[in-house]
Amino acid sequence: MSEPFDLAVVGGGLLGLAHALAAARSGRRVVVIDRDARANGASVRMPGVIGVTGHPAGAAWRRAMRSRDLWLEVAAQAGVRVEHEGLAIVARRPEAAALAEAFLATDMGADCALYGEGDAHALFPQFKGEIAGVFWSPHELRVEARTASARIAAWLAEAHDVAFQWETAVSAIEGTRLATSRGVVEAAATVVCAGDDFRSLFGERLAGANLARAKSHMMRVRYDEGFELPGAVASDLSLIRLPGFAELAESEALAARLAAEQPEHLAQGVTLVVAQSADDSLVVGASRQIEATPDPYQIQAIDDLILDELAAVFGKRPKHVLSRWTGTYAYSADRALVIDAPAPNIRVVVAASGAGASSAFAVGEETIAELFGR
Ligand SMILES: Cc1cc2nc3c(=O)[nH]c(=O)nc-3n(C[C@H](O)[C@H](O)[C@H](O)COP(=O)(O)OP(=O)(O)OC[C@H]3O[C@@H](n4cnc5c(N)ncnc54)[C@H](O)[C@@H]3O)c2cc1C
Protein backbone atom coordinates (compact mmCIF):
# COMPACT_ATOMS: atom_id res chain seq x y z
CA MET A 1 0.00 0.00 0.00
CA SER A 2 1.30 3.48 -0.88
CA GLU A 3 1.52 6.52 1.43
CA PRO A 4 -1.85 8.18 2.09
CA PHE A 5 -2.62 11.26 0.00
CA ASP A 6 -5.07 14.10 0.61
CA LEU A 7 -6.31 13.81 -2.97
CA ALA A 8 -6.08 11.22 -5.72
CA VAL A 9 -6.88 12.38 -9.24
CA VAL A 10 -7.78 9.69 -11.75
CA GLY A 11 -6.72 10.88 -15.21
CA GLY A 12 -3.62 12.83 -16.24
CA GLY A 13 -5.30 14.85 -19.02
CA LEU A 14 -5.71 18.61 -18.69
CA LEU A 15 -8.78 18.38 -16.49
CA GLY A 16 -7.03 16.01 -14.08
CA LEU A 17 -3.92 18.22 -14.03
CA ALA A 18 -6.08 21.28 -13.34
CA HIS A 19 -7.60 19.58 -10.29
CA ALA A 20 -4.16 18.46 -9.11
CA LEU A 21 -2.88 22.04 -9.38
CA ALA A 22 -5.80 23.55 -7.46
CA ALA A 23 -5.41 21.01 -4.63
CA ALA A 24 -1.60 21.30 -4.51
CA ARG A 25 -1.85 25.10 -4.39
CA SER A 26 -4.08 24.77 -1.33
CA GLY A 27 -1.35 22.78 0.40
CA ARG A 28 -2.65 19.27 -0.24
CA ARG A 29 -0.57 16.20 -1.04
CA VAL A 30 -1.78 14.96 -4.42
CA VAL A 31 -1.31 11.88 -6.57
CA VAL A 32 -2.36 11.70 -10.24
CA ILE A 33 -3.00 8.19 -11.58
CA ASP A 34 -3.29 7.46 -15.30
CA ARG A 35 -3.51 4.14 -17.12
CA ASP A 36 -1.35 5.38 -20.00
CA ALA A 37 2.38 6.12 -19.96
CA ARG A 38 1.57 9.80 -20.62
CA ALA A 39 -1.53 11.84 -21.43
CA ASN A 40 -2.73 10.54 -24.77
CA GLY A 41 -6.43 11.44 -24.86
CA ALA A 42 -8.35 14.51 -25.97
CA SER A 43 -5.93 16.85 -24.19
CA VAL A 44 -3.06 16.06 -26.60
CA ARG A 45 -5.26 15.78 -29.71
CA MET A 46 -7.08 19.10 -29.55
CA PRO A 47 -5.79 22.12 -31.52
CA GLY A 48 -4.50 23.90 -28.42
CA VAL A 49 -6.81 26.88 -28.70
CA ILE A 50 -7.86 28.08 -25.24
CA GLY A 51 -11.08 29.84 -26.11
CA VAL A 52 -13.21 32.44 -24.36
CA THR A 53 -15.31 34.02 -27.10
CA GLY A 54 -18.09 31.64 -28.08
CA HIS A 55 -18.71 30.15 -24.65
CA PRO A 56 -22.34 30.62 -23.56
CA ALA A 57 -23.13 34.02 -22.08
CA GLY A 58 -23.03 34.40 -18.30
CA ALA A 59 -21.36 32.00 -15.87
CA ALA A 60 -19.80 29.80 -18.57
CA TRP A 61 -18.20 32.80 -20.29
CA ARG A 62 -16.85 34.11 -16.95
CA ARG A 63 -15.49 30.64 -16.14
CA ALA A 64 -13.75 30.51 -19.53
CA MET A 65 -12.20 33.93 -18.88
CA ARG A 66 -11.01 32.88 -15.42
CA SER A 67 -9.59 29.68 -16.89
CA ARG A 68 -7.79 31.65 -19.62
CA ASP A 69 -6.14 33.78 -16.92
CA LEU A 70 -5.07 30.63 -15.06
CA TRP A 71 -3.76 29.16 -18.32
CA LEU A 72 -1.56 32.25 -18.75
CA GLU A 73 -0.13 31.80 -15.23
CA VAL A 74 0.41 28.07 -15.69
CA ALA A 75 1.99 28.50 -19.12
CA ALA A 76 4.50 31.04 -17.79
CA GLN A 77 5.44 28.91 -14.78
CA ALA A 78 5.45 25.53 -16.49
CA GLY A 79 7.41 26.65 -19.55
CA VAL A 80 4.53 26.15 -21.99
CA ARG A 81 4.97 28.55 -24.90
CA VAL A 82 1.95 30.66 -25.86
CA GLU A 83 2.23 30.41 -29.64
CA HIS A 84 -0.21 33.21 -30.37
CA GLU A 85 -3.06 35.15 -28.80
CA GLY A 86 -6.48 36.17 -30.11
CA LEU A 87 -9.04 34.71 -32.50
CA ALA A 88 -9.95 35.95 -35.97
CA ILE A 89 -13.31 34.72 -37.21
CA VAL A 90 -13.46 35.23 -40.94
CA ALA A 91 -17.03 36.19 -41.89
CA ARG A 92 -17.31 34.82 -45.42
CA ARG A 93 -20.91 35.95 -45.78
CA PRO A 94 -22.81 39.13 -44.87
CA GLU A 95 -25.02 37.04 -42.55
CA ALA A 96 -21.90 36.05 -40.59
CA ALA A 97 -20.76 39.66 -40.34
CA ALA A 98 -24.25 40.63 -39.11
CA LEU A 99 -24.10 37.93 -36.44
CA ALA A 100 -20.63 39.08 -35.35
CA GLU A 101 -21.95 42.63 -35.13
CA ALA A 102 -24.81 41.48 -32.88
CA PHE A 103 -22.27 39.69 -30.65
CA LEU A 104 -20.24 42.91 -30.37
CA ALA A 105 -23.27 44.58 -28.82
CA THR A 106 -23.37 42.00 -25.98
CA ASP A 107 -21.28 42.28 -22.78
CA MET A 108 -19.01 39.56 -24.17
CA GLY A 109 -18.09 41.72 -27.16
CA ALA A 110 -16.63 44.53 -25.04
CA ASP A 111 -12.98 44.10 -26.07
CA CYS A 112 -13.64 42.60 -29.49
CA ALA A 113 -13.80 44.28 -32.91
CA LEU A 114 -15.37 43.74 -36.32
CA TYR A 115 -13.49 44.91 -39.41
CA GLY A 116 -15.40 45.50 -42.62
CA GLU A 117 -14.29 43.99 -45.92
CA GLY A 118 -11.81 46.72 -46.91
CA ASP A 119 -10.10 47.04 -43.51
CA ALA A 120 -10.12 43.28 -43.07
CA HIS A 121 -8.14 42.67 -46.28
CA ALA A 122 -5.63 45.36 -45.33
CA LEU A 123 -5.23 44.14 -41.74
CA PHE A 124 -5.28 40.42 -42.47
CA PRO A 125 -3.56 39.86 -45.85
CA GLN A 126 -3.35 36.12 -45.05
CA PHE A 127 -7.08 35.79 -45.80
CA LYS A 128 -7.26 35.69 -49.58
CA GLY A 129 -10.75 34.30 -50.04
CA GLU A 130 -13.91 36.37 -50.43
CA ILE A 131 -14.80 37.89 -47.08
CA ALA A 132 -17.50 40.17 -45.70
CA GLY A 133 -15.45 41.08 -42.64
CA VAL A 134 -13.24 39.75 -39.85
CA PHE A 135 -14.31 39.52 -36.22
CA TRP A 136 -11.39 39.83 -33.78
CA SER A 137 -11.33 38.64 -30.16
CA PRO A 138 -8.17 39.36 -28.12
CA HIS A 139 -8.89 36.75 -25.42
CA GLU A 140 -7.73 33.43 -26.88
CA LEU A 141 -4.41 31.66 -26.32
CA ARG A 142 -2.80 28.95 -28.35
CA VAL A 143 -0.51 26.33 -26.80
CA GLU A 144 1.01 23.25 -28.44
CA ALA A 145 -1.41 20.63 -27.17
CA ARG A 146 0.78 17.68 -28.12
CA THR A 147 3.39 18.77 -25.52
CA ALA A 148 1.56 21.04 -23.06
CA SER A 149 0.12 18.28 -20.84
CA ALA A 150 3.52 16.63 -20.37
CA ARG A 151 5.15 19.97 -19.50
CA ILE A 152 2.44 20.82 -16.99
CA ALA A 153 2.70 17.36 -15.41
CA ALA A 154 6.50 17.70 -15.07
CA TRP A 155 6.09 21.15 -13.50
CA LEU A 156 3.42 19.89 -11.07
CA ALA A 157 5.79 17.14 -9.95
CA GLU A 158 8.75 19.47 -9.58
CA ALA A 159 7.24 22.69 -8.28
CA HIS A 160 4.21 21.33 -6.40
CA ASP A 161 5.43 17.91 -5.29
CA VAL A 162 2.50 16.18 -7.05
CA ALA A 163 3.10 12.40 -7.32
CA PHE A 164 2.35 10.67 -10.64
CA GLN A 165 1.57 7.01 -11.17
CA TRP A 166 1.52 6.38 -14.93
CA GLU A 167 0.64 3.03 -16.55
CA THR A 168 -1.69 2.43 -13.64
CA ALA A 169 -5.38 1.78 -14.24
CA VAL A 170 -7.90 2.48 -11.48
CA SER A 171 -10.57 -0.22 -11.38
CA ALA A 172 -12.62 0.76 -8.30
CA ILE A 173 -12.88 3.47 -5.67
CA GLU A 174 -14.45 2.79 -2.30
CA GLY A 175 -14.21 5.31 0.51
CA THR A 176 -10.54 6.26 0.74
CA ARG A 177 -9.21 3.20 -1.15
CA LEU A 178 -8.46 3.14 -4.85
CA ALA A 179 -7.91 -0.31 -6.34
CA THR A 180 -5.36 0.02 -9.14
CA SER A 181 -3.45 -2.31 -11.43
CA ARG A 182 -0.41 -1.69 -9.19
CA GLY A 183 -2.09 -2.13 -5.84
CA VAL A 184 -4.11 0.01 -3.46
CA VAL A 185 -3.70 3.78 -3.18
CA GLU A 186 -5.08 5.54 -0.08
CA ALA A 187 -6.44 9.07 -0.46
CA ALA A 188 -8.79 11.10 1.73
CA ALA A 189 -10.60 12.36 -1.38
CA THR A 190 -10.72 11.44 -5.07
CA VAL A 191 -11.59 13.33 -8.24
CA VAL A 192 -12.18 11.22 -11.36
CA CYS A 193 -11.33 13.01 -14.65
CA ALA A 194 -11.41 10.02 -16.99
CA GLY A 195 -12.27 11.94 -20.17
CA ASP A 196 -14.48 10.00 -22.55
CA ASP A 197 -14.32 6.80 -20.48
CA PHE A 198 -17.50 7.55 -18.57
CA ARG A 199 -18.54 3.90 -18.36
CA SER A 200 -15.80 2.29 -16.24
CA LEU A 201 -15.72 4.21 -12.94
CA PHE A 202 -19.17 5.07 -11.53
CA GLY A 203 -20.59 4.22 -14.95
CA GLU A 204 -23.90 3.25 -13.40
CA ARG A 205 -24.28 6.76 -11.97
CA LEU A 206 -23.30 8.48 -15.24
CA ALA A 207 -25.62 6.29 -17.33
CA GLY A 208 -28.42 8.85 -16.94
CA ALA A 209 -26.26 11.81 -17.95
CA ASN A 210 -26.96 11.39 -21.66
CA LEU A 211 -23.26 11.14 -22.52
CA ALA A 212 -21.91 10.04 -25.89
CA ARG A 213 -18.52 10.35 -27.57
CA ALA A 214 -17.65 12.94 -30.18
CA LYS A 215 -14.97 12.09 -32.73
CA SER A 216 -13.01 14.80 -34.57
CA HIS A 217 -10.64 14.78 -37.52
CA MET A 218 -7.50 16.94 -37.23
CA MET A 219 -4.52 17.61 -39.52
CA ARG A 220 -1.17 19.38 -39.47
CA VAL A 221 -0.53 21.15 -42.78
CA ARG A 222 2.00 23.47 -44.36
CA TYR A 223 1.72 26.07 -47.10
CA ASP A 224 4.84 26.60 -49.21
CA GLU A 225 4.60 30.35 -48.88
CA GLY A 226 5.05 30.98 -45.15
CA PHE A 227 2.84 33.48 -43.38
CA GLU A 228 2.15 34.39 -39.81
CA LEU A 229 -1.34 34.01 -38.40
CA PRO A 230 -2.63 36.90 -36.30
CA GLY A 231 -4.14 34.40 -33.84
CA ALA A 232 -6.32 31.34 -34.11
CA VAL A 233 -8.66 31.39 -37.13
CA ALA A 234 -12.28 30.27 -37.55
CA SER A 235 -15.04 30.91 -40.10
CA ASP A 236 -18.83 31.12 -40.58
CA LEU A 237 -19.28 27.44 -39.71
CA SER A 238 -18.03 28.08 -36.16
CA LEU A 239 -20.44 30.94 -35.61
CA ILE A 240 -23.48 28.70 -35.73
CA ARG A 241 -21.81 26.12 -33.44
CA LEU A 242 -20.31 28.34 -30.72
CA PRO A 243 -23.14 28.94 -28.23
CA GLY A 244 -22.17 32.58 -27.51
CA PHE A 245 -22.99 33.36 -31.15
CA ALA A 246 -25.51 30.62 -31.93
CA GLU A 247 -27.77 31.76 -29.08
CA LEU A 248 -28.28 35.15 -30.78
CA ALA A 249 -31.31 35.63 -33.06
CA GLU A 250 -29.07 36.76 -35.94
CA SER A 251 -27.63 33.21 -36.19
CA GLU A 252 -30.83 31.99 -37.87
CA ALA A 253 -30.16 33.71 -41.20
CA LEU A 254 -26.59 32.39 -41.27
CA ALA A 255 -27.71 28.88 -40.32
CA ALA A 256 -30.27 28.88 -43.15
CA ARG A 257 -27.70 30.01 -45.71
CA LEU A 258 -25.12 27.46 -44.56
CA ALA A 259 -27.76 24.72 -44.70
CA ALA A 260 -28.36 25.62 -48.34
CA GLU A 261 -24.73 26.18 -49.36
CA GLN A 262 -22.65 23.80 -47.19
CA PRO A 263 -24.94 20.89 -46.25
CA GLU A 264 -22.11 18.34 -46.31
CA HIS A 265 -20.04 20.41 -43.89
CA LEU A 266 -22.99 20.61 -41.53
CA ALA A 267 -23.73 16.89 -41.88
CA GLN A 268 -20.15 16.05 -40.83
CA GLY A 269 -20.11 18.68 -38.09
CA VAL A 270 -17.25 20.55 -39.76
CA THR A 271 -16.17 23.86 -38.29
CA LEU A 272 -12.88 25.50 -39.17
CA VAL A 273 -10.22 25.94 -36.51
CA VAL A 274 -6.68 26.87 -37.50
CA ALA A 275 -3.74 27.41 -35.16
CA GLN A 276 -0.08 28.01 -35.89
CA SER A 277 2.92 26.24 -34.37
CA ALA A 278 6.44 27.52 -33.74
CA ASP A 279 7.67 25.84 -36.96
CA ASP A 280 4.97 27.73 -38.96
CA SER A 281 2.96 24.59 -39.67
CA LEU A 282 -0.80 24.90 -39.10
CA VAL A 283 -2.97 22.63 -37.02
CA VAL A 284 -6.33 22.42 -38.76
CA GLY A 285 -9.69 20.88 -37.85
CA ALA A 286 -12.29 19.78 -37.21
CA SER A 287 -15.24 17.52 -37.86
CA ARG A 288 -17.64 16.15 -35.25
CA GLN A 289 -19.35 12.79 -35.33
CA ILE A 290 -21.36 11.98 -32.19
CA GLU A 291 -22.03 8.33 -31.36
CA ALA A 292 -21.99 5.88 -28.47
CA THR A 293 -18.89 4.36 -30.12
CA PRO A 294 -17.47 6.40 -33.00
CA ASP A 295 -15.72 4.47 -35.77
CA PRO A 296 -11.90 4.66 -35.84
CA TYR A 297 -11.50 5.78 -39.46
CA GLN A 298 -10.09 9.07 -40.72
CA ILE A 299 -12.13 9.38 -43.88
CA GLN A 300 -10.56 11.36 -46.73
CA ALA A 301 -13.89 12.89 -47.79
CA ILE A 302 -14.24 14.50 -44.35
CA ASP A 303 -10.64 15.78 -44.41
CA ASP A 304 -11.46 17.26 -47.84
CA LEU A 305 -14.40 19.21 -46.39
CA ILE A 306 -12.07 20.71 -43.75
CA LEU A 307 -9.42 21.51 -46.39
CA ASP A 308 -12.07 23.08 -48.65
CA GLU A 309 -13.09 25.45 -45.87
CA LEU A 310 -9.42 26.23 -45.23
CA ALA A 311 -9.01 27.04 -48.93
CA ALA A 312 -12.08 29.28 -48.86
CA VAL A 313 -10.36 31.40 -46.20
CA PHE A 314 -6.71 31.27 -47.34
CA GLY A 315 -7.34 31.24 -51.09
CA LYS A 316 -6.04 27.74 -51.75
CA ARG A 317 -5.36 24.37 -50.19
CA PRO A 318 -2.01 23.75 -48.47
CA LYS A 319 0.46 21.71 -50.51
CA HIS A 320 1.48 19.48 -47.63
CA VAL A 321 -0.59 17.51 -45.15
CA LEU A 322 2.08 16.51 -42.62
CA SER A 323 -0.03 14.37 -40.30
CA ARG A 324 -3.59 13.36 -39.59
CA TRP A 325 -5.22 12.15 -36.41
CA THR A 326 -8.57 11.68 -34.77
CA GLY A 327 -9.54 12.38 -31.20
CA THR A 328 -12.60 11.69 -29.11
CA TYR A 329 -14.12 13.55 -26.19
CA ALA A 330 -17.18 13.12 -24.00
CA TYR A 331 -20.25 14.89 -25.33
CA SER A 332 -23.63 15.80 -23.92
CA ALA A 333 -26.21 17.83 -25.81
CA ASP A 334 -27.61 19.01 -22.46
CA ARG A 335 -24.62 20.13 -20.42
CA ALA A 336 -21.06 21.30 -21.04
CA LEU A 337 -19.96 19.92 -17.67
CA VAL A 338 -21.18 16.83 -15.84
CA ILE A 339 -20.25 16.66 -12.14
CA ASP A 340 -21.34 13.80 -9.91
CA ALA A 341 -20.73 13.17 -6.20
CA PRO A 342 -20.91 9.40 -5.60
CA ALA A 343 -19.73 9.97 -2.00
CA PRO A 344 -18.98 13.03 0.16
CA ASN A 345 -15.24 12.66 -0.61
CA ILE A 346 -15.49 11.67 -4.31
CA ARG A 347 -16.27 13.76 -7.40
CA VAL A 348 -16.53 12.67 -11.01
CA VAL A 349 -15.93 15.52 -13.46
CA VAL A 350 -16.62 15.11 -17.17
CA ALA A 351 -16.04 17.94 -19.66
CA ALA A 352 -18.90 17.18 -22.04
CA SER A 353 -18.41 19.71 -24.83
CA GLY A 354 -15.63 20.37 -27.30
CA ALA A 355 -14.34 23.13 -25.02
CA GLY A 356 -13.15 21.26 -21.94
CA ALA A 357 -9.49 22.23 -22.27
CA SER A 358 -10.38 25.92 -22.26
CA SER A 359 -12.33 25.88 -19.00
CA ALA A 360 -10.25 23.16 -17.27
CA PHE A 361 -8.28 25.29 -14.81
CA ALA A 362 -11.33 27.20 -13.57
CA VAL A 363 -13.29 23.95 -13.23
CA GLY A 364 -10.43 22.45 -11.20
CA GLU A 365 -10.42 25.43 -8.89
CA GLU A 366 -14.20 25.25 -8.38
CA THR A 367 -14.31 21.49 -7.71
CA ILE A 368 -11.45 21.57 -5.20
CA ALA A 369 -12.97 24.54 -3.34
CA GLU A 370 -16.31 22.75 -3.14
CA LEU A 371 -14.83 19.36 -2.20
CA PHE A 372 -12.58 20.57 0.61
CA GLY A 373 -14.68 23.57 1.63
CA ARG A 374 -13.51 27.06 0.83
C1 LIG B 1 -9.96 16.86 -31.86
C2 LIG B 1 -10.39 17.60 -30.64
C3 LIG B 1 -10.55 18.98 -30.70
C4 LIG B 1 -10.90 19.68 -29.55
N1 LIG B 1 -10.95 21.05 -29.60
C5 LIG B 1 -11.04 21.75 -28.45
C6 LIG B 1 -10.88 23.17 -28.43
O1 LIG B 1 -10.67 23.80 -29.46
N2 LIG B 1 -10.96 23.82 -27.26
C7 LIG B 1 -11.17 23.15 -26.07
O2 LIG B 1 -11.22 23.78 -25.04
N3 LIG B 1 -11.34 21.80 -26.06
C8 LIG B 1 -11.28 21.10 -27.21
N4 LIG B 1 -11.45 19.75 -27.20
C9 LIG B 1 -11.93 19.10 -25.98
C10 LIG B 1 -10.83 18.96 -24.94
O3 LIG B 1 -9.68 18.43 -25.55
C11 LIG B 1 -11.32 18.03 -23.83
O4 LIG B 1 -12.55 18.51 -23.31
C12 LIG B 1 -10.32 17.98 -22.67
O5 LIG B 1 -9.00 17.79 -23.13
C13 LIG B 1 -10.72 16.84 -21.75
O6 LIG B 1 -9.69 16.65 -20.78
P1 LIG B 1 -9.74 15.39 -19.83
O7 LIG B 1 -8.54 15.50 -18.96
O8 LIG B 1 -11.10 15.31 -19.21
O9 LIG B 1 -9.67 14.14 -20.81
P2 LIG B 1 -8.45 13.39 -21.50
O10 LIG B 1 -7.43 14.34 -22.01
O11 LIG B 1 -9.06 12.45 -22.48
O12 LIG B 1 -7.77 12.59 -20.31
C14 LIG B 1 -8.43 11.55 -19.62
C15 LIG B 1 -7.35 10.67 -19.00
O13 LIG B 1 -7.97 9.74 -18.12
C16 LIG B 1 -7.23 8.53 -18.19
N5 LIG B 1 -8.11 7.47 -17.65
C17 LIG B 1 -9.37 7.17 -18.02
N6 LIG B 1 -9.85 6.17 -17.26
C18 LIG B 1 -8.88 5.81 -16.39
C19 LIG B 1 -8.77 4.83 -15.36
N7 LIG B 1 -9.80 4.02 -15.05
N8 LIG B 1 -7.60 4.72 -14.68
C20 LIG B 1 -6.55 5.54 -14.97
N9 LIG B 1 -6.60 6.49 -15.93
C21 LIG B 1 -7.75 6.63 -16.63
C22 LIG B 1 -6.91 8.39 -19.66
O14 LIG B 1 -5.80 7.53 -19.86
C23 LIG B 1 -6.61 9.84 -20.04
O15 LIG B 1 -5.21 10.15 -19.98
C24 LIG B 1 -11.13 19.00 -28.33
C25 LIG B 1 -11.00 17.61 -28.28
C26 LIG B 1 -10.62 16.92 -29.42
C27 LIG B 1 -10.43 15.43 -29.34
Side-chain angles (χ1 to χ4, degrees), residues 124-137:
F124 304 104
Q126 307 89 340
F127 306 144
K128 299 203 187 318
E130 267 185 43
I131 54 179
V134 171
F135 172 88
W136 175 254
S137 158

Side-chain angles (χ1 to χ4, degrees), residues 128-329:
K128 299 203 187 318
E130 267 185 43
I131 54 179
V134 171
F135 172 88
W136 175 254
S137 158
H139 304 308
E140 284 61 31
L141 307 176
R142 200 267 158 164
V143 299
E144 193 65 71
R146 61 184 169 176
T147 52
S149 297
R151 288 245 162 92
I152 294 169
W155 167 70
L156 284 174
E158 206 180 295
H160 290 281
D161 202 23
V162 172
F164 282 85
Q165 296 189 7
W166 298 104
E167 296 182 67
T168 306
V170 177
S171 51
I173 305 163
E174 272 173 40
T176 59
R177 288 167 66 87
L178 288 85
T180 85
S181 52
R182 290 179 194 263
V184 170
V185 173
E186 278 282 343
T190 298
V191 177
V192 178
C193 299
D196 69 345
D197 185 345
F198 43 79
R199 296 189 186 113
S200 301
L201 295 170
F202 304 108
E204 75 288 357
R205 294 183 59 94
L206 295 175
N210 196 20
L211 285 164
R213 293 169 71 205
K215 170 193 158 196
S216 279
H217 286 213
M218 297 291 303
M219 286 170 272
R220 183 177 290 276
V221 307
R222 188 189 296 284
Y223 282 90
D224 273 344
E225 48 290 290
F227 52 77
E228 202 175 321
L229 288 190
V233 177
S235 71
D236 296 9
L237 292 163
S238 302
L239 289 175
I240 59 161
R241 170 84 69 73
L242 294 170
F245 292 93
E247 286 167 358
L248 299 174
E250 287 77 1
S251 68
E252 277 177 31
L254 178 62
R257 190 154 171 199
L258 288 171
E261 295 177 1
Q262 294 192 272
E264 288 178 356
H265 287 81
L266 298 191
Q268 299 300 339
V270 171
T271 56
L272 184 68
V273 55
V274 189
Q276 194 157 38
S277 291
D279 66 358
D280 278 353
S281 65
L282 306 179
V283 170
V284 179
S287 55
R288 187 169 80 180
Q289 171 196 353
I290 298 164
E291 283 184 51
T293 302
D295 69 55
Y297 308 113
Q298 181 134 3
I299 297 151
Q300 181 67 46
I302 296 179
D303 285 353
D304 283 339
L305 291 172
I306 297 169
L307 293 171
D308 285 348
E309 187 66 9
L310 187 70
V313 169
F314 290 94
K316 63 178 183 179
R317 277 193 180 205
K319 197 156 170 198
H320 314 281
V321 177
L322 306 174
S323 61
R324 302 170 193 259
W325 65 96
T326 63
T328 56
Y329 52 91

